[in-house]
């Protein structure tokens, strides 16, 4: 099922499509401002998302456990990705985050096991706790100069993450932000 949402729609309410396993795609109208918590959680066959530039807020776990989601286009204007929004989206392979993004919330991309590439925007300020934990296919990342903080467990158990480039020495990160990565193991051993 491919859903076409009304052009007058401004908010998608909490749990609106929760568990709709028949949903494979959605046309989001320009003018949509908010996707509320759990709106598309457990839509296991949802494959791609092109979110409109008018979107400003995505609620907690809005797309959590959308296991077939492989393509994601986030809008410019989005300033924060909240807690667990794209958690357990096992098919997502790459992320090109919008320039407007300032904060990646806790567990936002947790357990995205197919994720191999992330492009962080130049204005990103914070990566919160567990944001990319268990993203086992990530091999390298480059942080922008703007980044100020990386939370605990942010990249925990990203077992193939070997190359991390910090553009700024002013970025602080939790001691356990990179535990379980090849990069961390190399830092500890020598």
């Amino acid at each position: 099922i491919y859903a076409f949402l009304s052009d007058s729609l401004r908010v998608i309410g909490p749990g609106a499509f929760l568990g709709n396993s028949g949903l494979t795609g959605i046309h989001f109208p320009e003018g949509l401002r908010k996707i509320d918590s759990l709106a598309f959680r457990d839509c296991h066959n949802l494959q791609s998302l092109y979110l409109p530039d008018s979107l400003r807020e995505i609620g907690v776990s809005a797309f959590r456990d959308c296991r077939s989601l492989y393509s994601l286009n986030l809008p410019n204007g989005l300033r924060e990705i909240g807690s667990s929004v794209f958690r357990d989206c096992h098919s997502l392979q790459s992320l090109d985050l919008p320039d407007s993004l300032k904060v990646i919330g806790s567990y936002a991309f947790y357990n995205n096991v197919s994720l191999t590439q992330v492009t962080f925007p130049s204005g990103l300020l914070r990566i919160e706790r567990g944001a990319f934990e268990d993203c086992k296919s990530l091999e390298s990342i480059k942080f922008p100069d703007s980044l100020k903080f990386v939370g605990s467990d942010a990249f925990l158990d990203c077992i193939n993450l070997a190359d991390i480039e910090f553009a700024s020495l002013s970025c602080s990160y939790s001691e356990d932000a990179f535990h379980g990565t090849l990069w961390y193991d190399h830092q500890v051993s020598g």
Side-chain angles (χ1 to χ4, degrees), residues 9-18 32 34-40:
L9 189 64
R10 298 296 173 252
V11 176
I12 297 174
F17 293 86
L18 177 67
L32 180 68
K34 178 181 181 180
I35 298 173
D36 220 324
S37 299
L38 308 171
F40 295 92

Side-chain angles (χ1 to χ4, degrees), residues 123-168:
L124 184 67
L125 300 173
R126 298 179 63 87
I127 299 174
E128 300 295 347
R129 177 184 190 94
F132 292 92
E133 183 176 338
D134 277 331
C135 292
K136 298 184 184 313
S137 298
L138 266 181
E139 294 180 3
S140 68
I141 50 177
K142 180 180 179 181
F143 293 130
D145 188 46
S146 60
L147 190 65
K148 302 296 180 207
F149 176 76
V150 179
S152 64
D153 302 335
F155 293 88
L156 177 69
D157 292 334
C158 294
I159 57 175
N160 290 303
L161 184 56
D163 184 28
I164 300 174
E165 185 178 330
F166 290 90
S168 170

Side-chain angles (χ1 to χ4, degrees), residues 17-94:
F17 293 86
L18 177 67
N20 187 333
S21 60
L23 194 61
T24 58
I26 308 156
H27 169 76
F28 293 99
E30 193 56 54
L32 180 68
R33 306 285 294 167
K34 178 181 181 180
I35 298 173
D36 220 324
S37 299
L38 308 171
F40 295 92
R41 182 175 178 174
D42 296 328
C43 291
H44 298 302
N45 293 309
L46 185 60
Q47 297 174 7
S48 64
L49 291 174
Y50 184 89
L51 300 171
D53 283 336
S54 58
L55 187 67
R56 294 295 176 259
E57 184 179 344
I58 304 174
V60 173
S61 297
F63 295 96
R64 183 175 178 172
D65 210 15
C66 291
R67 297 177 190 162
S68 299
L69 184 64
Y70 67 88
S71 177
L72 174 62
N73 183 13
L74 294 169
N76 242 334
L78 188 64
R79 295 181 56 79
E80 181 173 350
I81 297 173
S83 178
S84 298
V85 171
F86 296 102
R87 181 177 182 154
D88 297 317
C89 293
H90 300 276
S91 299
L92 194 58
Q93 295 179 12
S94 68

